[in-house]
Amino acid sequence: YIIPVVFHVIHNNGPENISNDQLYNAIEILNRDFRRQNSDIALVVDEFADITADIGIEFRLATKDPQGNCTSGINRIISALTYEGDSDMKDLIYWPRNKYLNVWVCADAAGAAGYTNLPANVSASWLASEDGIVIRADYTGAIGTSNNTRSRTLTHEVGHWLNLYHTWGPGNNPGVSTNCNQDDNVSDTPNTIGWTSCTIAGSSCNNSVDNVQNYMEYSYCSRMFTVGQATRMRAAVTSSVAQRNQLITTNNHNATGVLNPPLCAADFSVDKTNMCIGETVQFTDLSYHGITSWTWNFGDGIILTGSDPDVHRNPSHTFTTPGTYTVTLSVSNGSGDLEVSQENLIVVLETDELASPLQEGSEGPWPSSTCSIV
Ligand code: ZN
Ligand code: CA
């Protein structure tokens, strides 16, 4: 089952405005965990090693918005509501929940690392715009402003979004004895009071050992879902409750562009624009989606073309003649082509001349830097 995802980064120009790479990393970790491809699955204790589950659910960033237009799958909205992380914040932007899993990324998720709702709690149509996951930016992915310890937060929240309770039951308070009186409605997770630390051999409610390493624990050493939890999540995603079953259709995959992603934009950036002869420029391809070949015309007579990402996606190039250069990038994804030019992007100066003499008799703009040798 494939679920289209959209990230809404709600930020106030602070560190909560996390990078695309951090969001891509979050999706990678989510898929790794849901497909049981995490290497630390090997650390699951013997009692549960035989019931770790591949959920068989995959998450992909949308490439088409609700109107069918190209999107990166990442929206960025400036608002001080990032410090609230509440329903008002969600009201800033919401995409139909029968097409996307909405994930709002913000500075403060209403006091939590993240939160969401079970499908049944938002099944009413008037609650549709509440449906999705709110997560703190610094608990998203494992890189940038987040870290490894926090990186399973999205895995945990998606578990709830797919109808899992905490292992100790419906409440939000682990570690209390009354939790032995309630259940998570999953037969292969032992009844437990719930854990807030990685007490791997911990036992409660008269078990031999609790499933402390479950993603639906608060133990911060989560590594697994159980087979029973997989069954429950797969039931949720094929159920009409909260329209989950509409997400996984081929029609919706085409509508959201998680199948056959369109070629949306050709774009690139450089690490410098003004330089002396012999300096090297690093080019970074920002084109999307699904680029498979690149042609770089550096404007100095050199053209680099090919389909090896390691060589052709983000090339570096050294300019050996003074002058001003327009750089053009052409990209293809196999079904279409796009091209972008950045006029007079690169200015290369002699190494033994000041910038100002070089300007005489020439047309600008010229850089203020100099390339004198001392
Ligand atoms: Zn939870
Ligand atoms: Ca159970």
Side-chain angles (χ1 to χ4, degrees), residues 104-116 133-140 150 152-154 156-157 218 220:
W104 293 270
V105 178
C106 52
D108 191 330
Y115 70 91
T116 186
I133 292 167
V134 176
I135 188 168
R136 264 174 60 163
D138 55 354
Y139 282 77
T140 301
R150 297 172 164 190
R152 261 60 186 260
T153 305
L154 188 57
H156 176 105
E157 296 306 328
Y218 280 0
Y220 283 95

Side-chain angles (χ1 to χ4, degrees), residues 156-157 160 166 172 216 218:
H156 176 105
E157 296 306 328
H160 287 314
H166 294 123
N172 281 326
M216 302 316 290
Y218 280 0

